[in-house]
Amino acid sequence: MKLENIVPWGRSFAEYQAMFKLTNTDLQQNILGCGDGPAAFNKELTQRGGQIISIDPIYEFSASQIKNRINAVYDEVLSQVENNKTNFVWKNIKSVDELGQIRMQAMNDFLTDYDDGKQQGRYLSGSLPKLDFSDHQFDLALCSHFLFLYSDHFTLEQHIKSVLELCRVAKEVRIYPLVSLDGKGSPHLDLVIDKLNEYNIETQLQPVDYQFQQGATKMLVASTN
Ligand SMILES: C[S@@+](CC[C@H](N)C(=O)[O-])C[C@H]1O[C@@H](n2cnc3c(N)ncnc32)[C@H](O)[C@@H]1O
């Protein structure tokens, strides 16, 4: 993976909690964060005594490389949001400036934790659709803003393999959002659900409290218990 092709962008612990409807019981489980990038979820959950491993291809890079890349893309990402403001719901986050502050705070939190987390094995370089974990090593796998969002870049076959792989390594999988970058429902969603059901994996579409991207009101929950 080339760093210049990556747009690092990370969400906060509170956003993860809302996107995945995480209860205190959920937060006490053994969690995999898949495609966590520069999000602050791992840092804050660890501080709260939780158990989490995050995987992402960007973890092959150093903190200073990721930081430089964040600084290089930050203005461009915000100006794209500004130009497409109607694609977002400005309720919890009130303005593009506030969005920038929340994202930068989360990414700085991540950066301050990254070296320690790498040493402790909490940030591992890895990529779907193949994960280097044993069967049901995790209670819960979370995938925020990667699967379904990048439906144009990641094929249906890659989606199916990835979600099956997440179900292999975790007893329960939650994925959010289910819309692609254009705000339309992902064309892969129904076919992925059909495939999971073929494997006797139970699926539910559950409404969540979090909404920022228009139309992103639900998460996919897949359970293999
Ligand atoms: C938009 S960011 C979301 C980051 C974080 N999950 C959040 O919601 O704040 C998408 C992340 O997916 C990661 N990614 C790209 N390809 C991946 C793959 N094949 N498997 C896992 N993660 C991948 C990127 O490196 C990036 O960090």
PDB file of all heavy atoms in Angstrom, residues 145-159:
ATOM      1  N   HIS A 145     -16.962   2.625   8.415  1.00  0.00           N
ATOM      2  CA  HIS A 145     -16.578   3.444   7.252  1.00  0.00           C
ATOM      3  C   HIS A 145     -15.509   2.807   6.384  1.00  0.00           C
ATOM      4  O   HIS A 145     -14.534   3.436   5.994  1.00  0.00           O
ATOM      5  CB  HIS A 145     -16.163   4.855   7.710  1.00  0.00           C
ATOM      6  CG  HIS A 145     -17.334   5.626   8.227  1.00  0.00           C
ATOM      7  ND1 HIS A 145     -17.778   5.506   9.518  1.00  0.00           N
ATOM      8  CD2 HIS A 145     -18.163   6.492   7.619  1.00  0.00           C
ATOM      9  CE1 HIS A 145     -18.843   6.280   9.682  1.00  0.00           C
ATOM     10  NE2 HIS A 145     -19.104   6.883   8.538  1.00  0.00           N
ATOM     11  N   PHE A 146     -15.674   1.528   6.129  1.00  0.00           N
ATOM     12  CA  PHE A 146     -14.840   0.891   5.100  1.00  0.00           C
ATOM     13  C   PHE A 146     -15.712  -0.011   4.221  1.00  0.00           C
ATOM     14  O   PHE A 146     -16.012   0.345   3.080  1.00  0.00           O
ATOM     15  CB  PHE A 146     -13.660   0.123   5.723  1.00  0.00           C
ATOM     16  CG  PHE A 146     -12.924  -0.664   4.682  1.00  0.00           C
ATOM     17  CD1 PHE A 146     -12.395  -0.025   3.569  1.00  0.00           C
ATOM     18  CD2 PHE A 146     -12.819  -2.052   4.756  1.00  0.00           C
ATOM     19  CE1 PHE A 146     -11.768  -0.753   2.557  1.00  0.00           C
ATOM     20  CE2 PHE A 146     -12.191  -2.769   3.753  1.00  0.00           C
ATOM     21  CZ  PHE A 146     -11.663  -2.121   2.656  1.00  0.00           C
ATOM     22  N   LEU A 147     -16.162  -1.173   4.745  1.00  0.00           N
ATOM     23  CA  LEU A 147     -17.026  -2.055   3.941  1.00  0.00           C
ATOM     24  C   LEU A 147     -18.325  -1.318   3.624  1.00  0.00           C
ATOM     25  O   LEU A 147     -18.811  -0.520   4.426  1.00  0.00           O
ATOM     26  CB  LEU A 147     -17.323  -3.351   4.697  1.00  0.00           C
ATOM     27  CG  LEU A 147     -16.140  -4.313   4.811  1.00  0.00           C
ATOM     28  CD1 LEU A 147     -16.475  -5.462   5.746  1.00  0.00           C
ATOM     29  CD2 LEU A 147     -15.696  -4.839   3.448  1.00  0.00           C
ATOM     30  N   PHE A 148     -18.884  -1.562   2.478  1.00  0.00           N
ATOM     31  CA  PHE A 148     -20.106  -0.954   1.934  1.00  0.00           C
ATOM     32  C   PHE A 148     -19.884   0.515   1.548  1.00  0.00           C
ATOM     33  O   PHE A 148     -20.366   0.944   0.521  1.00  0.00           O
ATOM     34  CB  PHE A 148     -21.317  -1.111   2.868  1.00  0.00           C
ATOM     35  CG  PHE A 148     -21.664  -2.555   3.115  1.00  0.00           C
ATOM     36  CD1 PHE A 148     -21.574  -3.107   4.380  1.00  0.00           C
ATOM     37  CD2 PHE A 148     -22.028  -3.385   2.063  1.00  0.00           C
ATOM     38  CE1 PHE A 148     -21.857  -4.461   4.599  1.00  0.00           C
ATOM     39  CE2 PHE A 148     -22.310  -4.733   2.273  1.00  0.00           C
ATOM     40  CZ  PHE A 148     -22.222  -5.270   3.542  1.00  0.00           C
ATOM     41  N   LEU A 149     -19.137   1.282   2.375  1.00  0.00           N
ATOM     42  CA  LEU A 149     -18.906   2.685   2.010  1.00  0.00           C
ATOM     43  C   LEU A 149     -18.106   2.762   0.702  1.00  0.00           C
ATOM     44  O   LEU A 149     -18.389   3.584  -0.160  1.00  0.00           O
ATOM     45  CB  LEU A 149     -18.141   3.400   3.136  1.00  0.00           C
ATOM     46  CG  LEU A 149     -17.916   4.892   2.916  1.00  0.00           C
ATOM     47  CD1 LEU A 149     -19.243   5.656   2.903  1.00  0.00           C
ATOM     48  CD2 LEU A 149     -16.996   5.487   3.978  1.00  0.00           C
ATOM     49  N   TYR A 150     -17.098   1.872   0.585  1.00  0.00           N
ATOM     50  CA  TYR A 150     -16.252   1.893  -0.617  1.00  0.00           C
ATOM     51  C   TYR A 150     -16.704   0.822  -1.612  1.00  0.00           C
ATOM     52  O   TYR A 150     -15.896   0.085  -2.164  1.00  0.00           O
ATOM     53  CB  TYR A 150     -14.776   1.717  -0.213  1.00  0.00           C
ATOM     54  CG  TYR A 150     -14.262   2.906   0.550  1.00  0.00           C
ATOM     55  CD1 TYR A 150     -14.170   2.889   1.935  1.00  0.00           C
ATOM     56  CD2 TYR A 150     -13.917   4.080  -0.111  1.00  0.00           C
ATOM     57  CE1 TYR A 150     -13.743   3.997   2.647  1.00  0.00           C
ATOM     58  CE2 TYR A 150     -13.483   5.197   0.586  1.00  0.00           C
ATOM     59  CZ  TYR A 150     -13.401   5.143   1.958  1.00  0.00           C
ATOM     60  OH  TYR A 150     -12.974   6.252   2.654  1.00  0.00           O
ATOM     61  N   SER A 151     -18.014   0.785  -1.848  1.00  0.00           N
ATOM     62  CA  SER A 151     -18.580  -0.244  -2.741  1.00  0.00           C
ATOM     63  C   SER A 151     -18.040  -0.131  -4.162  1.00  0.00           C
ATOM     64  O   SER A 151     -17.984  -1.122  -4.877  1.00  0.00           O
ATOM     65  CB  SER A 151     -20.105  -0.130  -2.769  1.00  0.00           C
ATOM     66  OG  SER A 151     -20.640  -0.581  -1.555  1.00  0.00           O
ATOM     67  N   ASP A 152     -17.649   1.068  -4.575  1.00  0.00           N
ATOM     68  CA  ASP A 152     -17.120   1.237  -5.940  1.00  0.00           C
ATOM     69  C   ASP A 152     -15.683   0.745  -6.062  1.00  0.00           C
ATOM     70  O   ASP A 152     -15.212   0.463  -7.149  1.00  0.00           O
ATOM     71  CB  ASP A 152     -17.133   2.724  -6.354  1.00  0.00           C
ATOM     72  CG  ASP A 152     -18.536   3.199  -6.609  1.00  0.00           C
ATOM     73  OD1 ASP A 152     -19.444   2.348  -6.687  1.00  0.00           O
ATOM     74  OD2 ASP A 152     -18.727   4.422  -6.707  1.00  0.00           O
ATOM     75  N   HIS A 153     -14.966   0.709  -4.927  1.00  0.00           N
ATOM     76  CA  HIS A 153     -13.546   0.352  -4.973  1.00  0.00           C
ATOM     77  C   HIS A 153     -13.298  -1.104  -4.592  1.00  0.00           C
ATOM     78  O   HIS A 153     -12.302  -1.687  -4.988  1.00  0.00           O
ATOM     79  CB  HIS A 153     -12.736   1.231  -4.013  1.00  0.00           C
ATOM     80  CG  HIS A 153     -12.885   2.690  -4.287  1.00  0.00           C
ATOM     81  ND1 HIS A 153     -13.989   3.411  -3.924  1.00  0.00           N
ATOM     82  CD2 HIS A 153     -12.061   3.563  -4.912  1.00  0.00           C
ATOM     83  CE1 HIS A 153     -13.850   4.665  -4.290  1.00  0.00           C
ATOM     84  NE2 HIS A 153     -12.683   4.784  -4.896  1.00  0.00           N
ATOM     85  N   PHE A 154     -14.197  -1.651  -3.773  1.00  0.00           N
ATOM     86  CA  PHE A 154     -14.038  -3.008  -3.240  1.00  0.00           C
ATOM     87  C   PHE A 154     -15.187  -3.816  -3.855  1.00  0.00           C
ATOM     88  O   PHE A 154     -16.354  -3.469  -3.668  1.00  0.00           O
ATOM     89  CB  PHE A 154     -14.169  -2.912  -1.713  1.00  0.00           C
ATOM     90  CG  PHE A 154     -13.272  -3.806  -0.913  1.00  0.00           C
ATOM     91  CD1 PHE A 154     -11.899  -3.789  -1.077  1.00  0.00           C
ATOM     92  CD2 PHE A 154     -13.815  -4.650   0.058  1.00  0.00           C
ATOM     93  CE1 PHE A 154     -11.081  -4.606  -0.307  1.00  0.00           C
ATOM     94  CE2 PHE A 154     -13.003  -5.463   0.829  1.00  0.00           C
ATOM     95  CZ  PHE A 154     -11.632  -5.439   0.641  1.00  0.00           C
ATOM     96  N   THR A 155     -14.862  -4.901  -4.581  1.00  0.00           N
ATOM     97  CA  THR A 155     -15.889  -5.627  -5.358  1.00  0.00           C
ATOM     98  C   THR A 155     -16.860  -6.382  -4.446  1.00  0.00           C
ATOM     99  O   THR A 155     -16.588  -6.572  -3.250  1.00  0.00           O
ATOM    100  CB  THR A 155     -15.219  -6.660  -6.277  1.00  0.00           C
ATOM    101  OG1 THR A 155     -14.566  -7.626  -5.430  1.00  0.00           O
ATOM    102  CG2 THR A 155     -14.215  -6.021  -7.227  1.00  0.00           C
ATOM    103  N   LEU A 156     -17.930  -6.887  -5.069  1.00  0.00           N
ATOM    104  CA  LEU A 156     -18.886  -7.719  -4.327  1.00  0.00           C
ATOM    105  C   LEU A 156     -18.164  -8.941  -3.747  1.00  0.00           C
ATOM    106  O   LEU A 156     -18.363  -9.292  -2.584  1.00  0.00           O
ATOM    107  CB  LEU A 156     -20.023  -8.175  -5.260  1.00  0.00           C
ATOM    108  CG  LEU A 156     -20.948  -9.232  -4.664  1.00  0.00           C
ATOM    109  CD1 LEU A 156     -21.688  -8.700  -3.432  1.00  0.00           C
ATOM    110  CD2 LEU A 156     -21.953  -9.735  -5.701  1.00  0.00           C
ATOM    111  N   GLU A 157     -17.324  -9.561  -4.565  1.00  0.00           N
ATOM    112  CA  GLU A 157     -16.625 -10.760  -4.097  1.00  0.00           C
ATOM    113  C   GLU A 157     -15.736 -10.427  -2.883  1.00  0.00           C
ATOM    114  O   GLU A 157     -15.685 -11.179  -1.900  1.00  0.00           O
ATOM    115  CB  GLU A 157     -15.777 -11.319  -5.243  1.00  0.00           C
ATOM    116  CG  GLU A 157     -15.344 -12.734  -4.979  1.00  0.00           C
ATOM    117  CD  GLU A 157     -14.265 -13.194  -5.943  1.00  0.00           C
ATOM    118  OE1 GLU A 157     -13.992 -12.505  -6.947  1.00  0.00           O
ATOM    119  OE2 GLU A 157     -13.677 -14.251  -5.655  1.00  0.00           O
ATOM    120  N   GLN A 158     -15.056  -9.285  -2.939  1.00  0.00           N
ATOM    121  CA  GLN A 158     -14.213  -8.882  -1.799  1.00  0.00           C
ATOM    122  C   GLN A 158     -15.080  -8.606  -0.567  1.00  0.00           C
ATOM    123  O   GLN A 158     -14.682  -8.920   0.560  1.00  0.00           O
ATOM    124  CB  GLN A 158     -13.400  -7.632  -2.151  1.00  0.00           C
ATOM    125  CG  GLN A 158     -12.266  -7.924  -3.124  1.00  0.00           C
ATOM    126  CD  GLN A 158     -11.606  -6.636  -3.624  1.00  0.00           C
ATOM    127  OE1 GLN A 158     -12.278  -5.683  -4.003  1.00  0.00           O
ATOM    128  NE2 GLN A 158     -10.287  -6.611  -3.622  1.00  0.00           N
ATOM    129  N   HIS A 159     -16.266  -8.020  -0.794  1.00  0.00           N
ATOM    130  CA  HIS A 159     -17.165  -7.777   0.341  1.00  0.00           C
ATOM    131  C   HIS A 159     -17.588  -9.105   0.974  1.00  0.00           C
ATOM    132  O   HIS A 159     -17.560  -9.253   2.197  1.00  0.00           O
ATOM    133  CB  HIS A 159     -18.412  -6.998  -0.110  1.00  0.00           C
ATOM    134  CG  HIS A 159     -18.234  -5.516  -0.045  1.00  0.00           C
ATOM    135  ND1 HIS A 159     -17.514  -4.809  -0.971  1.00  0.00           N
ATOM    136  CD2 HIS A 159     -18.658  -4.602   0.862  1.00  0.00           C
ATOM    137  CE1 HIS A 159     -17.517  -3.536  -0.646  1.00  0.00           C
ATOM    138  NE2 HIS A 159     -18.197  -3.373   0.468  1.00  0.00           N
TER     139      HIS A 159
END
